Amino acid sequence: MAAAKSKNALDLFIEGARNGWVIGTTSMLPNVLMAFVLIQILTITGLMGLIGKVAGPLMVLWGLPGEGMVVLLGAFMSMGGGVGVAAGLIANGALTPVHITILAPAIMLMGAIVQYMGRCLGTADSNRKWWGWQILICIINALVAMWAMRLIVSFFPDTPIGV
């Protein structure tokens, strides 16, 4: 049996950088780019304004404009997509840094539910009758986290909350 060659720190760094590059370009980048395209499509067609008006009364509970709903929908599909939608909306002025701060925990807690349903629940042979409850728990966690973040942000007097 041959002795295993130990790797030095530089070799480990290069290996990690390669793995990170592959993950970033094959998993994250397509989601973020698609989110930017989606924002442009919604804005050009006027659907973003409609979503903002329809979702506005609900999103005001968290001190967010109605357009924040698009971030949550993007995060529901893909965490990278949610981040991309948030970046697109902050770039076009629909959201502020405070809004993103309130939305960030929801993106992380609810991110990629649709992707993980197939990957995790399907392969774990989880009973399908509980899938809806498991998804609902993720959504409730995200909404509660947004309220908690809104409360935290309110302790900073120079930070305007609301739409």
Side-chain angles (χ1 to χ4, degrees):
M1 190 160 136
K5 181 183 173 191
S6 64
K7 295 182 179 181
N8 63 31
L10 182 61
D11 291 337
L12 292 171
F13 174 79
I14 291 172
E15 182 180 330
R18 274 193 197 117
N19 291 339
W21 176 259
V22 169
I23 290 170
T25 57
T26 61
S27 291
M28 296 171 64
L29 186 62
N31 291 332
V32 173
L33 287 176
M34 186 57 205
F36 276 107
V37 170
L38 175 67
I39 292 301
Q40 291 305 313
I41 291 171
L42 292 174
T43 302
I44 291 169
T45 61
L47 289 173
M48 183 64 77
L50 179 64
I51 292 170
K53 286 180 185 173
V54 171
L58 176 65
M59 297 305 287
V60 78
L61 295 172
W62 293 275
L64 298 169
E67 290 83 0
M69 180 63 79
V70 180
V71 175
L72 297 178
L73 294 173
F76 187 79
M77 300 304 225
S78 153
M79 190 177 304
V83 170
V85 170
L89 288 175
I90 200 167
N92 75 11
L95 296 178
T96 68
V98 173
H99 297 144
I100 300 299
T101 302
I102 295 169
L103 286 165
I107 293 171
M108 299 303 143
L109 289 169
M110 191 175 63
I113 290 174
V114 171
Q115 290 179 356
Y116 295 143
M117 270 182 17
R119 289 181 189 160
C120 299
L121 297 178
T123 59
D125 201 25
S126 173
N127 189 334
R128 289 182 188 255
K129 77 176 187 177
W130 299 111
W131 284 21
W133 288 105
Q134 292 168 329
I135 292 168
L136 184 63
I137 289 168
C138 290
I139 293 169
I140 290 169
N141 284 340
L143 298 177
V144 169
M146 287 192 323
W147 270 316
M149 187 56 75
R150 182 176 183 204
L151 177 66
I152 291 168
V153 169
S154 72
F155 288 110
F156 298 93
D158 294 335
T159 307
I161 296 180
V163 290

